[in-house]
Amino acid sequence: MAKDLNIILFGAPGAGKSTHVEMLQDAGVDFSLVSLGKILRDRAAEDSDTGRKIKETMSKGDLLDDFFIRELVKDALRDVDKSKIVILDGFPRTLGQLEVTDQIFADLEMALPIMIYIKITQEEAVRRLSGRLICSECKSTYQEEFLDDKEKCEKCGGKLAQREDDTPEAIKNRFDLFEMQIDLIKHYFETRGRYYEIDGLKERHERHEDIMKVINSFND
Ligand code: ADP
């Protein structure tokens, strides 16, 4: 697998980014993952002013301050194993973040990232997020309608619950914020020949195949 491939996984809330990260893992793709959502949820659990501020912002579906996020991403990318493909999930989401993205990769002597955008409609996003359950232990996510046991995680036995920011108001807010930024971010990567779009309304195995095709096209 090409080591000089780095990927920004992009998509509205509910597009299925974390599902596809899991499917890539199961398919044996060797990558390091930096997930902003996960980093922030971990920080939000801290008993500190910063932790409480992050928790409050996330529960409303608002975005955190660009400067703070940029520093988090720099730190996370600095620490990650760069001998593998690096997949960055959840960044950039705003113009202020987009402006520094390539520079962060360049400063760390990493190949500039391609963007894989999983595209879905707002209607489908709301439907999926309303039925999303997350394991309180291992953080695996599930779609309620596909589960026999809606209480217990089938991977680790942990308790399943809705994510705190999967309320109808927070979902709408997150989607609206996303829509405001998408055109600019997409345009930036498109004009630099680093943009790949996946039809997020296809069946998930087909979506996975489409993502694998993009990754395999970078094989030496
Ligand atoms: P989703 O894609 O479903 O919104 P994430 O787990 O990626 O879920 O993000 C959850 C929340 O974390 C966001 O609603 C926002 O509050 C915060 N967040 C994540 N990424 C960023 C970012 N790049 N900039 C600012 N806030 C962010």
Side-chain angles (χ1 to χ4, degrees):
M1 205 63 73
K3 279 203 301 268
D4 52 2
L5 173 63
N6 295 311
I7 301 171
I8 285 175
L9 196 55
F10 193 61
K17 287 170 295 175
S18 33
T19 303
H20 285 293
V21 166
E22 280 174 32
M23 290 175 88
L24 290 175
Q25 224 148 25
D26 293 345
V29 177
D30 201 18
F31 63 89
S32 313
L33 176 68
V34 173
S35 158
L36 250 283
K38 167 150 193 340
I39 294 173
L40 289 170
R41 273 184 288 282
D42 288 347
R43 294 290 306 267
E46 285 171 11
D47 183 16
S48 66
D49 284 349
T50 312
R52 280 183 285 277
K53 164 102 192 351
I54 297 174
K55 191 168 191 303
E56 191 195 329
T57 309
M58 287 178 82
S59 66
K60 286 193 237 152
D62 287 337
L63 292 176
L64 285 136
D65 171 71
D66 276 348
F67 182 77
F68 175 70
I69 292 288
R70 283 170 3 192
E71 293 306 306
L72 276 188
V73 170
K74 275 187 212 165
D75 288 347
L77 286 180
R78 198 174 293 127
D79 292 345
V80 88
D81 180 355
K82 295 186 248 317
S83 65
K84 302 178 183 177
I85 296 172
V86 173
I87 299 184
L88 179 55
D89 170 8
F91 182 94
R93 284 201 178 190
T94 66
L95 182 57
Q97 295 175 14
L98 176 66
E99 279 167 356
V100 297
T101 302
D102 280 352
Q103 195 59 51
I104 293 177
F105 279 79
D107 287 347
L108 294 168
E109 293 176 3
M110 297 168 73
L112 296 184
I114 63 161
M115 165 164 285
I116 298 183
Y117 173 42
I118 309 175
K119 187 174 183 183
I120 54 163
T121 57
Q122 176 156 16
E123 199 184 9
E124 178 64 10
V126 172
R127 198 187 68 74
R128 288 190 197 165
L129 293 180
S130 311
R132 170 160 81 176
L133 291 176
I134 182 164
C135 172
S136 50
E137 301 294 327
C138 73
K139 311 295 173 199
S140 293
T141 57
Y142 299 96
Q143 238 1 84
E144 203 171 2
E145 61 181 306
F146 300 129
L147 286 178
D148 294 327
D149 185 343
K150 300 183 195 326
E151 311 273 312
K152 237 177 15 184
C153 174
E154 58 190 39
K155 290 197 185 126
C156 77
K159 193 169 155 17
L160 297 182
Q162 265 215 312
R163 221 171 77 174
E164 273 187 44
D165 58 349
D166 282 346
T167 60
E169 305 78 52
I171 292 173
K172 180 162 188 325
N173 194 19
R174 272 149 64 208
F175 202 94
D176 289 347
L177 284 173
F178 180 84
E179 292 272 281
M180 276 162 51
Q181 313 289 348
I182 169 68
D183 289 344
L184 272 171
I185 297 178
K186 179 176 160 178
H187 180 77
Y188 180 92
F189 284 92
E190 221 167 15
T191 52
R192 285 161 179 80
R194 290 192 264 135
Y195 177 78
Y196 300 85
E197 191 168 296
I198 305 292
D199 179 357
L201 297 179
K202 282 189 186 172
E203 201 271 320
R204 66 194 206 129
H205 283 281
E206 281 182 75
R207 290 183 329 236
H208 172 70
E209 289 308 316
D210 290 346
I211 294 174
M212 287 301 291
K213 270 186 218 149
V214 174
I215 293 177
N216 287 331
S217 72
F218 284 84
N219 269 343
D220 298 323

